[in-house]
Amino acid sequence: MESSASLLQRQKQSLVLTPQMMESIRLLQLAHPELHQFVEQEIEKNPFLERASNRAPKDIPSISAGNPRIGPTTGGISDRASQWKSIRGKNNVQPGGNHAFEDSWTSIETLHDHVARQIALSAFAPLERRIAGELAGHLEDTGYLPVNLSELARSLNVREAVVERVLGTLQQFDPPGIFARTLSECLEIQLRQLDRFDPAMAALVANLEALARRDFQTLKRHCGVDEDDLLDMLHEIRALDPKPGNRFQSGGPESIIPDVLVQPSPGGGWQIELNPDTLPRLLMNQNYFAQVSRLSAQNSKDQSFLNECLQNANWLIRSLDQRAKTILKVAAEIIRQQDAFFEHGVAHLRPLNLRTVADAINVHQSTVSRVTSNKYMLTPRGVFELKYFFTVAIGSSEGGDAYSAEAVRHQIKAMVAVESPNEVLSDDDIATRLKETGIDIARRTVAKYREALNIPSSARRRREKRVRLRCQSSPGGGGDESGS
């Protein structure tokens, strides 16, 4: 039996990602704090990279919506960016920040400062003062004390009764309700200081789960009161503070620095600019490379290392430039697609997906996904994450353009906001009203969006509105209802 062997050639195409290509892809996804950290690490290990001391406004890319050409800005961007760089809250626009106001955060008394001052003024024995300091060290910013007294007593080598006695003193401190271990204890402390902790109120505080369910029949039975008395008690509970420590500022508010700045263009449309504060500014020191190369010309290993550093420096500068231009192109296409939103508000937000933007600017869909992750845009309507503008489509009952899911959620929220206690809309009612405006939506979809917005069911909303109405109509009913 004969056998034969043969050699066959086959051509096969495959995509191989080099380490630098993978790093370039990762750079697209990095938020600017992570990007700056990455750049700092590169500067540390590459002798030819250095930060640019200044960058002229003409070096910052910008683009006008409707004009795909990327070119220099018209000037003044650095000044505007420095005014807008600290945005407090996603949708709270405060251009032209007040530096004196920002500097004043350091002088605001925190909850722990307030408590420490009261401990210093209290007549504690040395051991009790030590226990009080230990308890204060565990105090949360909300005012609660998440600590096991038995374990704390063992760690301090004291009796648990001593710790409980010190805690009782601390629970009399200002603001009322601090050093509580549970919500029930927090409300009890406040009611005791108001001399309103009678047996009926104690039963109400002990049944907060029934209160959360708005199970008023169960509450009346446990408290032994009629409906009018229960409404008065609920009004008193609402006037309490469930998180008493929150009235103290524990530090500066979290800041969001936008990556893209959008403003109306004088000639119509929108001017889109990258925030220079989020762009690392790098230079390659060619003179230093030339000097070091001359000194190591005879050493092939050193020369190889220098050439590698030079290539990495060139790659990083090109990658950062490409990253900036890609973010700008994606932002410009988002604004072009969502022009009605910027003109008229969230009710005019259009359905949009990643593929639509990717096809429009001739990039891969994954590139758009990476660019829009953890990137923010400052607009005249507030600060939004780029992913905010991508929403699924809800069909039109009249065969017209589809509606954005975010716009539909906005309409549902607006409908619920104007309900009266006698006309609370069910999910079916909301679906019917939306269909009357041309939005083809099912009742179960309305229920899903309502739950995503943390809007209670129609039955629960009806009970809450009636209780609120009774409290407002009762004597002294105009008080604060922001409690529980």
Side-chain angles (χ1 to χ4, degrees):
M1 185 174 181
E2 296 182 359
S3 62
S4 61
S6 62
L7 295 176
L8 298 177
Q9 284 186 334
R10 292 181 181 177
Q11 269 191 333
K12 186 174 69 172
Q13 289 183 336
S14 62
L15 178 63
V16 178
L17 292 178
T18 65
Q20 284 190 343
M21 291 175 64
M22 296 177 65
E23 283 295 325
S24 296
I25 292 173
R26 191 169 75 91
L27 286 180
L28 279 175
Q29 192 164 358
L30 293 180
H32 62 84
E34 300 165 334
L35 179 64
H36 281 273
Q37 183 178 9
F38 173 79
V39 168
E40 288 293 339
Q41 293 172 353
E42 290 298 312
I43 292 175
E44 285 291 326
K45 62 185 182 183
N46 194 322
F48 305 128
L49 277 176
E50 59 184 36
R51 282 196 174 275
S53 56
N54 290 295
R55 175 181 284 191
K58 64 182 180 64
D59 295 327
I60 308 297
S62 73
I63 192 171
S64 295
N67 178 6
R69 182 181 63 85
I70 297 177
T73 69
T74 56
I77 295 169
S78 297
D79 293 336
R80 289 193 296 275
S82 64
Q83 291 175 345
W84 294 346
K85 67 179 180 180
S86 184
I87 308 301
R88 310 202 179 279
K90 284 188 180 179
N91 292 304
N92 183 15
V93 184
Q94 298 179 3
N98 187 333
H99 298 292
F101 174 74
E102 292 176 355
D103 294 341
S104 69
W105 285 114
T106 57
S107 63
I108 294 179
E109 185 181 46
T110 67
L111 174 63
H112 290 81
D113 294 336
H114 188 62
V115 169
R117 183 163 52 83
Q118 294 180 81
I119 291 176
L121 296 174
S122 299
F124 283 125
L127 176 61
E128 293 175 332
R129 193 174 301 280
R130 177 188 167 205
I131 296 172
E134 193 70 25
L135 290 170
H138 289 84
L139 192 65
E140 294 180 338
D141 290 339
T142 56
Y144 284 86
L145 183 68
V147 66
N148 185 296
L149 296 188
S150 299
E151 294 178 359
L152 181 64
R154 284 196 298 270
S155 66
L156 296 175
N157 196 25
V158 297
R159 298 194 313 275
E160 185 176 348
V162 178
V163 178
E164 290 179 348
R165 184 174 70 247
V166 173
L167 177 60
T169 302
L170 295 177
Q171 288 179 344
Q172 299 175 23
F173 280 10
D174 179 75
I178 60 171
F179 285 100
R181 288 157 290 180
T182 63
L183 175 60
S184 298
E185 188 175 33
C186 178
L187 300 179
E188 177 183 341
I189 293 170
Q190 295 178 62
L191 289 168
R192 287 188 182 279
Q193 293 192 21
L194 294 172
D195 196 23
R196 280 292 296 120
F197 194 70
D198 54 28
M201 193 65 81
L204 178 60
V205 171
N207 290 274
L208 292 181
E209 291 184 0
L211 177 58
R213 297 193 307 268
R214 298 296 191 264
D215 188 352
F216 299 132
Q217 295 300 325
T218 299
L219 291 175
K220 287 192 292 185
R221 185 172 65 254
H222 282 297
C223 298
V225 296
D226 58 20
E227 184 173 347
D228 290 336
D229 288 337
L230 180 62
L231 290 175
D232 291 338
M233 293 166 63
L234 293 178
H235 183 60
E236 291 184 67
I237 290 290
R238 287 192 179 91
L240 304 178
D241 190 349
K243 295 180 179 180
N246 279 358
R247 69 183 68 178
F248 288 85
Q249 182 63 50
S250 59
E254 183 179 357
S255 297
I256 294 176
I257 302 178
D259 301 86
V260 182
L261 310 177
V262 180
Q263 63 176 346
S265 180
W270 303 95
Q271 181 70 19
I272 310 157
E273 305 161 349
L274 292 181
N275 186 350
D277 289 335
T278 65
L279 301 177
R281 307 169 187 181
L282 293 181
L283 292 176
M284 186 173 60
N285 196 329
Q286 293 278 12
N287 293 332
Y288 183 54
F289 172 74
Q291 294 173 9
V292 177
S293 294
R294 286 195 298 269
L295 295 175
S296 59
Q298 305 302 321
N299 190 319
S300 59
K301 289 186 178 180
D302 289 348
Q303 193 63 42
S304 175
F305 170 75
L306 296 177
N307 289 334
E308 182 182 354
C309 289
L310 181 67
Q311 292 175 3
N312 289 338
N314 279 322
W315 162 80
L316 181 57
I317 292 174
R318 288 196 306 269
S319 296
L320 291 175
D321 183 63
Q322 184 60 40
R323 176 185 182 273
K325 291 179 178 178
T326 305
I327 293 174
L328 194 61
K329 287 165 65 177
V330 170
E333 183 60 24
I334 289 174
I335 292 172
R336 192 183 72 81
Q337 295 280 350
Q338 301 289 7
D339 182 69
F341 163 81
F342 293 99
E343 290 284 353
H344 307 293
V346 67
H348 296 267
L349 196 65
R350 293 179 52 194
L352 183 64
N353 56 43
L354 298 174
R355 182 177 296 278
T356 301
V357 173
D359 292 343
I361 62 175
N362 197 27
V363 298
H364 195 271
Q365 183 176 338
S366 62
T367 299
V368 179
S369 176
R370 292 184 178 95
V371 167
T372 53
S373 295
N374 302 313
K375 312 290 191 310
Y376 292 88
M377 178 188 294
L378 172 60
T379 76
R381 295 194 173 275
V383 179
F384 301 90
E385 189 175 10
L386 293 185
K387 283 193 178 294
Y388 171 83
F389 299 101
F390 295 90
T391 60
V392 299
I394 303 294
S396 171
S397 60
E398 300 173 354
D401 294 336
Y403 293 84
S404 163
E406 184 64 29
V408 174
R409 283 192 285 266
H410 175 75
Q411 291 196 40
I412 293 173
K413 187 176 181 179
M415 289 182 186
V416 172
V418 297
E419 288 176 334
S420 66
N422 297 323
E423 294 184 6
V424 175
L425 300 174
S426 66
D427 293 340
D428 283 319
D429 295 334
I430 294 175
T432 300
R433 291 197 178 187
L434 290 173
K435 287 178 180 178
E436 290 174 355
T437 64
I439 302 174
D440 186 13
I441 189 170
R443 185 206 64 81
R444 63 180 179 274
T445 307
V446 171
K448 182 179 71 173
Y449 288 174
R450 174 181 54 76
E451 291 170 359
L453 292 167
N454 293 322
I455 297 175
S457 65
S458 57
R460 180 173 170 180
R461 297 201 308 274
R462 186 178 293 108
R463 289 196 298 267
E464 290 177 352
K465 289 178 182 294
R466 288 178 177 174
V467 168
R468 190 175 297 113
L469 184 64
R470 291 289 300 272
C471 290
Q472 291 174 348
S473 62
S474 63
D480 179 20
E481 295 186 14
S482 61
S484 61

